[in-house]
Amino acid sequence: MSLDDDVRAELQQLEAQHRLRLPRTIDSPQGPRVILDGIEVLNFASNDYLSLASDRRLVRAAVAAVEESGAGAGASRLIVGNHRHHVALERAIGDWLHVDGVRLFNSGYAANIGVLSTLCRAGDQVFSDALNHASIIDGCRLAKAEVAVYPHLDLAALEAALASRSRGAGRRFVISETLFSMDGDVADVAALAALARRHDAALILDEAHAIGVLGPEGRGLAADANVVPDVLVGTCGKALGSFGAFAATSRAIADLLWTRARPFVFSTGLPPMIPAAVRAAIEIVRSTEGDDRRRSLRIMSRQLRSLVPALGGASESPIAPLVVGDDRAVMAMTSRLLEAKVFVQGIRPPTVPDGTARLRVSLASGHAAGDVAHLAISMERFL
């Protein structure tokens, strides 16, 4: 059997399990309404939480950078790709998040891989939430550290795991998302920090879905809890409306990432237009307008859960899952919602654990109260 034949058989198996992924095509700017496969629909599937992806201020900043600096960085930032726009964005993030060191990465996946494979070594101990993102899991694997996975949000189990393992000569790390991407629930960041201190562990927090959305000036749940993690990983492709990611940390750790984080060292730098657009987004996020967008998002998050009590997630989280269980059933729900001109993506394993396929509702500040009401009415047939 040829490789192609073998892959075709694997694809047929995935299709039989209702786990074959077939992408849809967007033919419009990202926003509360999009043109999906030629039809205008309400968009409740995006991570563009503050509705900045198509904001003209970001677009103008990106266009100006393209006209000034061209379309690409040309090389790794360690060679000739370290553009002033990269440096300016790292400084802007540092000022925003009150840290001394920031390192940009080309994606959130690359950031977690780079941070964990650089800092966590063989002989170290890593304590990781069971529902942490795949990029955290893969980063731990590349690091070759000893990994203890504790049940989701179970602080007692985490403390028991920390206490039961001898300290040894290696480093210890507690690693967690803050706002979980598929469940919409939140970690007790203050309690995680206290446990990490008590057991001499560094704390790494993935704030990908919280940055821009939660906390003072949108600085995330760590800032909301007055916690300063050893490393905070954030993305620019969600609430900040653009692309890329960053590690916000100390100057020393940022310098080590510059030298040893393989996804950073061996990747062409972000096109200058990307950090230019992200800087424009941060200005908005830090302003009173950013406060207004976050307030609108919180109000709609509460409104949706009052209309559809079966939805999960924290009350102020823009991520509201409806756990269905069966893969086929959840994709049928996505199709039926599309008939009502509403797009909510069905999420299946391996993105979520077996038996927890779900509709992942994602709100944005640009949605109107009527949009949320229409979504709720369209979902009533499933409840």
Side-chain angles (χ1 to χ4, degrees), residues 96-372:
W96 178 34
L97 299 184
H98 305 169
V99 296
D100 295 327
V102 175
R103 194 61 62 231
L104 292 178
F105 287 84
N106 286 12
S107 70
Y109 202 99
N112 275 328
I113 292 285
V115 166
L116 297 175
S117 63
T118 298
L119 299 181
C120 308
R121 306 169 301 196
D124 290 347
Q125 297 173 347
V126 176
F127 301 85
S128 178
D129 189 287
L131 294 187
N132 276 341
H133 192 269
S135 57
I136 294 175
I137 295 169
D138 291 352
C140 292
R141 288 170 176 163
L142 286 173
K144 300 181 174 64
E146 176 189 345
V147 180
V149 178
Y150 62 91
H152 181 50
L153 300 181
D154 189 335
L155 293 172
L158 170 59
E159 183 163 26
L162 285 161
S164 67
R165 285 166 172 77
S166 60
R167 176 69 176 82
R171 300 165 176 164
R172 309 182 102 192
F173 299 86
V174 172
I175 299 173
S176 180
E177 293 183 55
T178 59
L179 172 57
F180 282 82
S181 60
M182 290 295 123
D183 289 78
D185 51 6
V186 297
D188 185 338
V189 174
L192 286 175
L195 281 175
R197 283 193 305 271
R198 191 179 310 149
H199 293 276
D200 194 21
L203 179 63
I204 299 177
L205 296 177
D206 182 343
E207 295 256 46
H209 292 267
I211 280 291
V213 175
L214 300 171
E217 288 190 327
R219 289 190 283 121
L221 282 166
D224 200 44
N226 292 313
V227 165
V228 180
D230 293 274
V231 183
L232 183 157
V233 175
T235 58
C236 309
K238 296 179 174 61
L240 298 184
S242 187
F243 186 67
F246 58 85
T249 183
S250 69
R251 177 66 179 272
I253 293 173
D255 286 348
L256 185 65
L257 293 173
W258 185 274
T259 301
R260 290 192 176 172
R262 292 171 70 85
F264 175 86
V265 172
F266 297 106
S267 295
T268 298
L270 288 165
M273 64 182 175
I274 298 299
V278 175
R279 283 175 62 203
I282 290 174
E283 289 181 7
I284 297 168
V285 167
R286 298 186 70 176
S287 70
T288 56
E289 179 185 343
D291 291 336
D292 291 341
R293 289 180 183 238
R294 283 186 288 276
R295 187 178 305 109
S296 174
L297 192 55
R298 286 195 300 271
I299 290 170
M300 281 187 291
S301 296
R302 294 176 188 138
Q303 175 196 5
L304 177 60
R305 288 177 173 86
S306 70
L307 294 172
V308 189
L311 291 173
S315 63
E316 295 185 354
S317 165
I319 303 164
L322 177 68
V323 176
V324 176
D326 181 75
D327 297 358
R328 180 176 184 177
V330 79
M331 297 314 295
M333 289 179 179
T334 291
S335 296
R336 291 177 67 189
L337 284 170
L338 277 172
E339 295 172 3
K341 306 294 181 65
V342 173
F343 182 49
V344 181
Q345 180 62 57
I347 306 293
R348 296 158 288 172
T351 306
V352 293
D354 283 337
T356 69
R358 68 200 60 190
L359 291 175
R360 179 188 183 270
V361 178
S362 183
L363 295 167
S365 63
H367 285 125
D371 297 335
V372 175

Side-chain angles (χ1 to χ4, degrees), residues 59-72 83 85 271-274 276-277:
V59 173
R60 286 194 294 269
V63 169
V66 167
E67 291 178 342
E68 172 197 78
S69 305
H83 197 276
H85 281 297
M273 64 182 175
I274 298 299

